[in-house]
Amino acid sequence: QVQLVESGGGLVQAGGSLRLSCAASGRTFSNLDMGWFRQAPGKEREFVAAITWSGGSTYYTDSVKGRFTISRDNAKNTVYLQMNSLKPEDTAVYYCAADSLWRLRIVPDQIFYWGQGTQVTVSS
């Protein structure tokens, strides 16, 4: 079992920055690929970013490329999402997820481990 706890969400003005953190426990974190998803009101959950277990490869949805950066610290069992140049359309609940890269990017409905989510609100 893996427990994931997100933090760092909040209210920010457009153009501002936030850093989300996801702390993992319960299983060897360094063996897991990790990802961030988000869900806006009335919309389906969507993939935002993923990082391989080693941190050697990262992936982003087009709408956040150049603005968001995913990273991880395996010594701290934590994955981060640095969000810069935030836009009102980034407003959503952001979820951390842990599984294989295949599930994170291709079949997210099969992801085993999810955090509870953290709200990000970007005002215009």
Side-chain angles (χ1 to χ4, degrees), residues 38-46 89 91:
R38 65 186 179 186
Q39 187 168 19
K43 295 187 177 181
E44 293 188 354
R45 189 175 298 186
E46 66 169 345
E89 52 263 43
T91 295

Side-chain angles (χ1 to χ4, degrees), residues 21-43:
S21 299
C22 174
S25 62
R27 180 182 156 175
T28 305
F29 174 78
S30 59
N31 291 343
L32 291 169
D33 300 321
M34 301 292 296
W36 287 95
F37 291 75
R38 65 186 179 186
Q39 187 168 19
K43 295 187 177 181

Side-chain angles (χ1 to χ4, degrees), residues 2-122:
V2 175
Q3 292 78 44
L4 303 173
V5 179
E6 301 98 333
S7 61
L11 173 64
V12 64
Q13 289 189 332
S17 298
L18 283 174
R19 188 176 81 156
L20 305 184
S21 299
C22 174
S25 62
R27 180 182 156 175
T28 305
F29 174 78
S30 59
N31 291 343
L32 291 169
D33 300 321
M34 301 292 296
W36 287 95
F37 291 75
R38 65 186 179 186
Q39 187 168 19
K43 295 187 177 181
E44 293 188 354
R45 189 175 298 186
E46 66 169 345
F47 170 81
V48 176
I51 187 167
T52 53
W53 65 270
S54 66
S57 295
T58 57
Y59 306 85
Y60 299 93
T61 191
D62 286 345
S63 62
V64 308
K65 285 179 181 177
R67 299 189 299 122
F68 290 12
T69 302
I70 189 170
S71 62
R72 65 190 296 161
D73 185 339
N74 286 345
K76 295 182 178 180
N77 288 355
T78 301
V79 64
Y80 305 97
L81 186 67
Q82 178 67 44
M83 306 186 295
N84 299 328
S85 302
L86 283 161
K87 304 175 181 180
E89 52 263 43
D90 295 317
T91 295
V93 178
Y94 283 71
Y95 297 89
C96 176
D99 212 305
S100 67
L101 194 62
W102 168 261
R103 287 197 172 102
L104 291 170
R105 297 197 67 202
I106 306 300
V107 284
D109 288 345
Q110 297 183 17
I111 291 172
F112 282 164
Y113 305 116
W114 291 96
Q116 82 288 351
T118 186
Q119 177 71 47
V120 171
T121 303
V122 184

